[in-house]
Amino acid sequence: MEISTDERFHESLRYLAGKLQQPLQKFGDRYRLLIPTSVDTYYLTDLLVYQIVTVMKARYLQDKIKIKHDLLIKVLVNYDKKTDMVIATALLQLGSRLLLDALYDFGISKLKCRWDEVVQLVNDNRAQLTQKNLCDELLRFLILNMDHKMKEVHVMAVNQRPTVCNSKLEPLSPEQSNVIDALVEAAPRQIFIHIDQNMQPETVQAIQQLFPNCICIEYSAVL
């Protein structure tokens, strides 16, 4: 099987190449990945569906929503993701060739109709959403109603930086640029915040503001 794309979904194809441990090829303005027949079809489907409901959804929302708000886009991408995944799995048809750019342009119209409802809601209220308190209320509502991916995470100082860790106190990602973004991506049921001299009060306050009703404060030493 061959999967290819234009520049728009180059990183998605690179993600697949890394997961499948296959070389990514470039021909002119297109990128190509050859999938061995030994790759499990269900695993490949899961990888592709994840790209549809994250990367493609984020691109669609960024193109359509008339206000620039990166955190809102990230929260909207993770909102109702399970339903998006069910629909994306039904829409995805694997054959000998798959063009990711064509799939985005023509193959996921049913998902785009769902996403358009969110786009219209945000655009119709964009004036109000420029007010921080109203925007934060929307973010809290969306976060409270996200599908949980993890039972718990821990926010603690690792190398003097606030970092989101799993239940074994291992960082979820080695390159976390923003704690709030990492928490949205993790979608935890409970957040343990470990307070020490390296945990800034502003960070704790921001987490408590956007993730109400799931915070537990603990006091511990840094790692």
Side-chain angles (χ1 to χ4, degrees):
M1 179 183 179
E2 175 186 317
I3 304 178
S4 67
T5 184
D6 59 15
E7 185 65 38
R8 286 178 294 172
F9 301 106
H10 164 226
E11 289 303 322
S12 290
L13 207 57
R14 184 177 297 280
Y15 169 84
L16 293 173
K19 287 291 185 180
L20 300 174
Q21 298 183 343
Q22 297 297 318
L24 183 62
Q25 305 169 357
K26 189 175 189 298
F27 295 90
D29 60 351
R30 295 195 65 80
Y31 298 84
R32 184 177 73 171
L33 179 65
L34 299 179
I35 310 298
T37 56
S38 58
V39 172
D40 182 77
T41 302
Y42 293 104
Y43 178 59
L44 178 59
T45 297
D46 287 344
L47 293 177
L48 288 166
V49 164
Y50 180 77
Q51 292 303 300
I52 293 171
V53 303
T54 55
V55 176
M56 291 186 180
K57 184 176 182 180
R59 184 180 188 89
Y60 190 78
L61 295 178
Q62 288 166 350
D63 288 344
K64 296 292 185 178
I65 288 179
K66 296 180 181 179
I67 61 173
K68 180 174 176 57
H69 196 302
D70 292 341
L71 180 57
L72 177 59
I73 296 294
K74 184 174 286 289
V75 172
L76 289 173
V77 166
N78 285 277
Y79 181 74
D80 204 15
K81 185 183 285 186
K82 285 185 179 179
T83 303
D84 280 344
M85 292 178 69
V86 170
I87 296 173
T89 301
L91 293 174
L92 184 63
Q93 296 183 357
L94 299 182
S96 58
R97 295 187 64 196
L98 176 65
L99 282 65
L100 292 183
D101 46 335
L103 175 67
Y104 177 78
D105 290 335
F106 309 111
I108 58 172
S109 57
K110 187 174 181 180
L111 276 171
K112 288 179 177 178
C113 288
R114 279 174 47 81
W115 301 340
D116 279 336
E117 296 177 4
V118 175
V119 168
Q120 183 175 350
L121 177 64
V122 174
N123 287 341
D124 287 348
N125 294 278
R126 63 184 182 275
Q128 293 92 321
L129 293 177
T130 60
Q131 302 177 43
K132 187 179 185 304
N133 60 329
L134 295 179
C135 188
D136 285 348
E137 286 184 16
L138 175 60
L139 289 171
R140 278 195 296 271
F141 170 80
L142 294 171
I143 289 171
L144 282 170
N145 288 278
M146 283 197 308
D147 296 321
H148 295 294
K149 287 172 54 178
M150 301 185 68
K151 182 178 179 181
E152 68 179 60
V153 297
H154 296 252
V155 180
M156 59 198 314
V158 178
N159 297 325
Q160 300 182 341
R161 292 182 54 193
T163 304
V164 180
C165 302
N166 60 20
S167 59
K168 297 180 180 179
L169 306 186
E170 301 166 335
L172 294 181
S173 171
E175 299 179 357
Q176 294 182 10
S177 58
N178 185 287
V179 169
I180 299 297
D181 286 353
L183 287 172
V184 169
E185 181 61 32
R189 186 177 299 276
Q190 189 166 21
I191 301 171
F192 293 89
I193 303 178
H194 298 250
I195 302 295
D196 57 45
Q197 67 270 24
N198 291 314
M199 187 64 65
Q200 297 297 321
E202 294 82 3
T203 300
V204 177
Q205 183 179 5
I207 297 172
Q208 290 176 317
Q209 186 175 34
L210 293 175
F211 295 84
N213 305 325
C214 64
I215 304 296
C216 180
I217 302 293
E218 296 191 351
Y219 294 86
S220 63
V222 298
L223 292 182

